[in-house]
Amino acid sequence: MASLRDIRTRIGSVSSTQQVTRAMKMVAAAKLRRAQENIFQARPYANKLSEIITRLQAQLDPTDHPLFVHRESVENVLLVVVTADRGLAGGFNANLIKLAEQTIRERYEKHRAEGRLFLVCVGKKGHEHFSRRDYQLVGDFRGAFDKLSFLTADKIASVAEDGFMEGKWDEVFVLYNEFKNTISQNRIVEPFIPIPAERFLTPVMESDGETADDDGTNDPIYEPGVHEVLASLIPRFLNYQIWRALLESNAAEQGARMVAMDSATTNAEELLKELNLKYNRARQDAITRELIEITSGADALSAG
C-alpha cells in the first residue's frame, strides 16, 4: 500500500497538471474564437471564388488552360498534408495522418514504392511523422501555424502549381481537417490540381446550402473576356484554397485542443477525488494502528 507521503506527492503532481490543462483550455478557447472569426470570414469569399471558376471553366474547352487538363497517365503525385505544429489535441493529428496513410495505401501505394509520391507537410507533426518513414518531402513548412499568414498559403500553392506546370507531378490533393464545430472535424481529401470540372464540396459547404450543379441561366458577362478573367483569377483561387484549408485546420486544431484539455481537467478532478479519499483512508488506518499500539502497550503495562 502506498505511504501517506507517496499519496501526498501524487496529489500535488495531479493538482499541478490540472492547473496546466485548465490554463491550456482557456488559451485554446481564446485562440478558437479568433480562428472561428477568420474562417467564417474566409468561407464566403472562397466559396464564391470556387463558384466563379467552375462557371468559367464550363464555358471553355478543357484544354484552354493547362491547370484544367487531366493527364492521361498519372506518373507522379503530390499530397499536401496539413497537420498541427503541436500535440495535446486529442486525435487531431493522428486521425489526419491516418487518413493520409490510408489514401496512400488505397490510391498511391505503387507510386510510393517507385519513388513517384511526394508530400508537402504543413505543420511539425506531419512533417516529423513522414520524414521518419522516408517519404519524399517537398519544402519545409514546420512552424507554419506559429504565425499563420497568407504568404505561407501563397508559397504552398506556388510549390504545387509550379511543380505541376513543370511536370514534376500530374495531380495534387490537399488533406486537412475541416472545422465543423468545437467538438468535431471533417477529414477532407480535396482535389487541387488539375482544377476539377465539377465543384468540390465539403460536408460543411453542403450543409450551408452550397451546390455543385449550375444550370447556367444566371451566368454573368465577363469583361474583358473569359480567358482574361480566368488568367487573373486562377492564381488567386489556388492561393485562397490553400489559405482556407489552413484556416479550417487552425480552427479545428484549437477546438480539438480545447476539448482535450477540458477532458484532461475533468479527469484530473476525478483522480484528485480518488486520491484524497485514498489519503484519508490511509490516514485513518495509520491513526487506528497507533491507537491500537498505544492501547496494547497500556494493557501490557497494566498486566505487568
Side-chain angles (χ1 to χ4, degrees), residues 74-109:
V74 179
E75 299 295 333
N76 300 289
V77 177
L78 176 69
L79 301 181
V80 179
V81 181
V82 184
T83 60
D85 287 313
R86 296 177 177 82
L88 298 177
F92 177 84
N93 293 303
N95 290 336
L96 199 282
I97 289 172
K98 285 180 182 178
L99 174 66
E101 292 178 331
Q102 178 183 349
T103 302
I104 292 169
R105 283 195 306 270
E106 294 177 352
R107 302 185 187 181
Y108 305 117
E109 189 62 41

Side-chain angles (χ1 to χ4, degrees), residues 2 5 19 44 47 53 83-84 98 110 113 129 132 137-138 166 185 187 190 197 217 238 246 261 273 278 288:
R5 178 180 295 177
Q19 292 177 11
N47 293 340
I53 292 293
T83 60
K98 285 180 182 178
K110 183 177 180 182
H129 176 88
R132 286 196 299 265
L137 303 187
V138 179
E166 294 168 7
Q185 308 87 36
R187 292 181 289 280
E190 182 171 342
T217 57
L238 295 178
L246 296 182
M261 292 301 98
K273 290 180 181 178
K278 188 176 182 180
T288 301

Side-chain angles (χ1 to χ4, degrees), residues 21 25 257-267:
T21 57
K25 173 190 171 183
R257 180 167 292 110
M258 188 183 76
V259 171
M261 292 301 98
D262 180 63
S263 178
T265 302
T266 301
N267 291 340

Side-chain angles (χ1 to χ4, degrees), residues 107-119:
R107 302 185 187 181
Y108 305 117
E109 189 62 41
K110 183 177 180 182
H111 291 78
R112 187 198 172 191
E114 297 176 354
R116 297 185 286 113
L117 175 69
F118 303 87
L119 272 66

Side-chain angles (χ1 to χ4, degrees), residues 29-134:
K31 289 183 177 181
L32 175 61
R33 285 192 293 271
R34 292 195 296 270
Q36 280 182 297
E37 292 174 1
N38 290 336
I39 191 57
F40 291 157
Q41 291 174 3
R43 276 175 179 170
Y45 181 81
N47 293 340
K48 182 55 67 174
L49 194 56
S50 176
E51 178 186 327
I52 292 173
I53 292 293
T54 303
R55 286 174 178 267
L56 290 170
Q57 191 174 1
Q59 299 181 28
L60 301 174
D61 186 276
T63 60
D64 282 352
H65 197 287
L67 293 180
F68 291 157
V69 179
H70 291 258
R71 295 168 183 171
E72 294 182 3
S73 177
V74 179
E75 299 295 333
N76 300 289
V77 177
L78 176 69
L79 301 181
V80 179
V81 181
V82 184
T83 60
D85 287 313
R86 296 177 177 82
L88 298 177
F92 177 84
N93 293 303
N95 290 336
L96 199 282
I97 289 172
K98 285 180 182 178
L99 174 66
E101 292 178 331
Q102 178 183 349
T103 302
I104 292 169
R105 283 195 306 270
E106 294 177 352
R107 302 185 187 181
Y108 305 117
E109 189 62 41
K110 183 177 180 182
H111 291 78
R112 187 198 172 191
E114 297 176 354
R116 297 185 286 113
L117 175 69
F118 303 87
L119 272 66
V120 170
C121 292
V122 185
K124 183 179 179 180
K125 291 299 181 180
H127 186 101
E128 292 182 346
H129 176 88
F130 289 106
S131 64
R132 286 196 299 265
R133 288 158 179 79
D134 297 324

Side-chain angles (χ1 to χ4, degrees), residues 101-300:
E101 292 178 331
Q102 178 183 349
T103 302
I104 292 169
R105 283 195 306 270
E106 294 177 352
R107 302 185 187 181
Y108 305 117
E109 189 62 41
K110 183 177 180 182
H111 291 78
R112 187 198 172 191
E114 297 176 354
R116 297 185 286 113
L117 175 69
F118 303 87
L119 272 66
V120 170
C121 292
V122 185
K124 183 179 179 180
K125 291 299 181 180
H127 186 101
E128 292 182 346
H129 176 88
F130 289 106
S131 64
R132 286 196 299 265
R133 288 158 179 79
D134 297 324
Y135 282 83
Q136 298 189 81
L137 303 187
V138 179
D140 187 344
F141 295 96
R142 286 175 290 183
F145 292 97
D146 289 339
K147 191 175 181 181
L148 191 58
S149 69
F150 190 79
L151 180 61
T152 302
D154 179 54
K155 290 178 179 178
I156 297 168
S158 295
V159 168
E161 180 182 358
D162 294 345
F164 182 83
M165 298 297 289
E166 294 168 7
K168 292 181 180 179
W169 32 78
D170 302 302
E171 64 181 20
V172 182
F173 283 81
V174 182
L175 291 74
Y176 62 96
N177 282 292
E178 179 186 44
F179 179 76
K180 182 179 180 182
N181 53 51
T182 303
I183 62 175
S184 63
Q185 308 87 36
N186 299 314
R187 292 181 289 280
I188 305 297
V189 181
E190 182 171 342
F192 187 57
I193 301 175
I195 298 172
E198 293 187 3
R199 188 178 172 203
F200 178 84
L201 296 179
T202 67
V204 168
M205 291 179 184
E206 292 178 344
S207 65
D208 288 344
E210 297 290 331
T211 59
D213 297 323
D214 187 358
D215 59 10
T217 57
N218 296 317
D219 280 344
I221 298 174
Y222 297 97
E223 293 291 346
V226 173
H227 290 84
E228 291 80 4
V229 172
L230 198 61
S232 175
L233 285 184
I234 283 182
R236 184 177 303 180
F237 167 74
L238 295 178
N239 292 346
Y240 217 82
Q241 289 302 99
I242 295 293
W243 179 236
R244 180 182 59 81
L246 296 182
L247 292 178
E248 293 279 2
S249 182
N250 185 44
E253 176 194 349
Q254 301 308 328
R257 180 167 292 110
M258 188 183 76
V259 171
M261 292 301 98
D262 180 63
S263 178
T265 302
T266 301
N267 291 340
E269 183 66 32
E270 294 298 322
L271 184 55
L272 282 174
K273 290 180 181 178
E274 293 179 6
L275 288 172
N276 282 318
L277 182 60
K278 188 176 182 180
Y279 177 81
N280 290 332
R281 286 176 176 172
R283 186 166 174 269
Q284 288 174 353
D285 289 343
I287 293 172
T288 301
R289 283 196 302 272
E290 290 179 2
L291 290 175
I292 291 175
E293 290 173 359
I294 294 171
T295 304
S296 298
D299 291 342

